[in-house]
Amino acid sequence: MKNRFLSNILLTFIWVSITGDFQFSNYVFGFLLSFAILFIITRGDAKYFKVIPKLIFFIFFFLYELIKANLQVAFDVITPKFYMTPGIVKVPLDAETNLEITLLANLITLTPGTLSLDVSDDRKVLYVHAMYINDREEFIKGIKNGFERRLLEILR
């Protein structure tokens, strides 16, 4: 997977150098073009061709969640009434490795209104503080089916 990614980056820089256009959009186009070329050449068998689209969708998903949480917190700050229902929730983990747990905890903390507090000693539960918990089960389901599921699809 590492070799295909490096090949993809190398082909991207070759494309940008040949065209002479150093704008961000040309880098993106070059990356997508070289991705397609590598996919055709290798017949798309490698894990790399499954992970990269999931990674791109994950980035857009995270940006959506980030904007949504920012708007929710901003609305609560500028209105005179508080809509917060804070609490601490135990989120059961499917993530097993240190990398998976750390990335999940950091993604949760980066989202405004949520903060990862601790991981249980057996690494089966992540404690999360959230400003807006209307339904605990719905909050847990949102993390499990949102961040954790998508993150594990990329890492495994």
Side-chain angles (χ1 to χ4, degrees), residues 31-138:
F31 184 83
L32 294 175
L33 180 65
S34 59
F35 183 84
I37 290 169
L38 288 172
F39 182 80
I40 291 168
I41 290 172
T42 61
R43 297 187 183 108
D45 294 340
K47 180 181 176 186
Y48 175 73
F49 299 108
K50 296 175 182 135
V51 169
I52 292 296
K54 288 179 183 181
L55 181 63
I56 292 169
F57 286 124
F58 181 77
I59 290 170
F60 284 116
F61 171 75
F62 178 71
L63 290 174
Y64 169 76
E65 289 293 323
L66 187 68
I67 291 168
K68 185 173 77 170
N70 273 304
L71 291 174
Q72 186 178 24
V73 172
F75 178 77
D76 203 13
V77 169
I78 63 173
T79 56
K81 182 180 178 207
F82 287 114
Y83 296 98
M84 288 188 281
T85 52
I88 296 175
V89 178
K90 290 170 50 174
V91 179
L93 292 175
D94 292 330
E96 297 169 350
T97 66
N98 288 336
L99 176 67
E100 294 169 350
I101 294 170
T102 302
L103 285 175
L104 177 63
N106 285 329
L107 288 168
I108 290 170
T109 299
L110 283 172
T111 308
T114 57
L115 176 68
S116 300
L117 298 174
D118 196 12
V119 179
S120 65
D121 292 334
D122 62 356
R123 298 170 41 181
K124 299 287 184 194
V125 175
L126 177 67
Y127 295 95
V128 177
H129 178 273
M131 289 174 56
Y132 305 99
I133 301 176
N134 297 325
D135 181 13
R136 287 184 184 276
E137 293 304 318
E138 194 66 33

Side-chain angles (χ1 to χ4, degrees), residues 14-33:
I14 291 171
W15 170 261
V16 169
S17 298
I18 289 173
T19 60
D21 183 8
F22 297 98
Q23 294 181 2
F24 179 74
S25 59
N26 198 35
Y27 281 99
V28 171
F29 179 76
F31 184 83
L32 294 175
L33 180 65

